[in-house]
């Protein structure tokens, strides 16, 4: 597997002024930071994750699993997907085999990261709307930083984000708020003028711990009852995330 060097995509801005009401000539979201989760939020990565999982299952002499079975765990990482697949096969999975299979999964996935992965409907238009309104965009994902950057580069989206921060970028990952606060800082933003958009309780809990408003995508991989109850708002399609909604949440 080729190695993508992990580098920050933006430098923090220091000396940010206190929050103020935008003047009429300013764009509505000037000064705002809109943070997106990746898997199950911006990109439907489940098909390629399923391919990597089935590669591992075949190496263990197990039958292939289905995309529908993988989707609920697709945003929780390789170990969770492997554990769930072995449970469905009614086969014990020890620590040593899990470690070996996780390495196999990541190697295969890294080489097949954007074969069938696609943006969710309306995602690209939403990125355009937010940027056109003056918002800074960032990604905060529990994927490793290198894989997140690689995926977004393959999809020709990386340049849209001021920061792409993964599970290994900081000392902790979502739902620990240090992951989300660090992403906002690296993007040059401020915590008092940001919103988190995600599809699982992990995303929504991170925002809650940081005191940020959150938008839950109800169509995502694991938008369960707990996440819906915690989220500031829930949408069923990206088209519902307009400038007025984001402005109302963060201002």
């Amino acid at each position: 597997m080729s190695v993508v060097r992990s580098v920050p995509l933006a430098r923090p801005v220091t000396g940010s002024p206190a929050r103020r009401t935008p003047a009429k000539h300013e764009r509505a979201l000037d000064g705002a930071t809109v943070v997106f989760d990746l898997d199950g939020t911006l990109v439907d990565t489940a098909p390629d994750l399923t391919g990597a999982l089935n590669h591992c299952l075949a190496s263990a002499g197990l039958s292939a699993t289905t995309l529908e079975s993988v989707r609920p765990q697709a945003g929780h990482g390789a170990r969770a997907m492997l554990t769930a697949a072995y449970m469905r096969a009614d086969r014990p999975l020890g620590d040593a085999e899990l470690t070996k299979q996780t390495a196999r999964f990541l190697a295969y996935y890294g080489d097949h990261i954007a074969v069938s992965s696609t943006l969710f409907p309306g995602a690209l238009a939403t990125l355009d709307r937010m940027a056109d309104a003056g918002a800074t965009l960032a990604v905060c994902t529990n994927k490793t930083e290198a894989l997140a950057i690689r995926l977004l580069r393959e999809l020709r989206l990386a340049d849209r984000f001021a920061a792409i921060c993964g599970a290994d970028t900081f000392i902790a990952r979502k739902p620990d708020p240090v992951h989300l606060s660090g992403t906002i800082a690296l993007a040059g933003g401020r915590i008092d003028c940001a919103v988190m958009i995600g599809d699982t309780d992990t995303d929504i809990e991170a925002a809650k711990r940081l005191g940020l408003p959150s938008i839950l995508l109800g169509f995502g991989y694991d938008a369960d009852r707990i996440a819906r109850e915690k989220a500031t708002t829930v949408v069923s399609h990206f088209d519902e995330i307009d400038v007025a909604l984001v402005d109302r949440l963060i201002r």
Side-chain angles (χ1 to χ4, degrees), residues 127-214:
L127 294 178
D128 287 339
R129 278 198 302 277
M130 298 299 105
D132 290 346
T136 297
L137 308 180
V139 167
C140 181
T141 173
N142 278 350
K143 225 180 189 65
T144 65
E145 183 181 308
L147 287 177
I149 292 173
R150 183 180 303 174
L151 173 62
L152 289 169
R153 282 177 176 166
E154 289 286 336
L155 296 176
R156 299 183 179 181
L157 294 171
D159 290 345
R160 290 175 174 263
F161 301 100
I164 298 173
C165 300
D168 53 348
T169 304
F170 305 107
I171 60 172
R173 65 181 187 174
K174 296 180 298 183
D176 193 304
V178 72
H179 191 180
L180 184 50
S181 64
T183 300
I184 295 168
L186 193 60
R190 307 193 311 275
I191 293 174
D192 66 342
C193 195
V195 63
M196 177 72 204
I197 300 175
D199 70 304
T200 71
D201 181 57
T202 300
D203 305 312
I204 304 306
E205 178 64 17
K208 182 179 179 180
R209 293 185 190 183
L210 201 57
L212 261 63
S214 59

Side-chain angles (χ1 to χ4, degrees), residues 51-90:
L53 181 58
N54 283 333
H55 172 72
C56 293
L57 295 177
S59 73
L62 297 175
S63 299
T65 190
T66 65
L67 177 60
E68 291 71 23
S69 296
V70 174
R71 279 192 186 279
Q73 292 91 35
H76 297 288
R79 297 175 71 90
M81 285 182 278
L82 284 162
T83 299
Y86 270 69
M87 287 181 64
R88 288 193 294 272
D90 196 25

Side-chain angles (χ1 to χ4, degrees), residues 211-232:
L212 261 63
S214 59
I215 299 174
L216 179 72
L217 303 181
F219 57 81
Y221 291 157
D222 195 17
D224 61 12
R225 177 186 58 81
I226 295 175
R228 291 172 183 272
E229 291 175 353
K230 289 181 183 178
T232 309

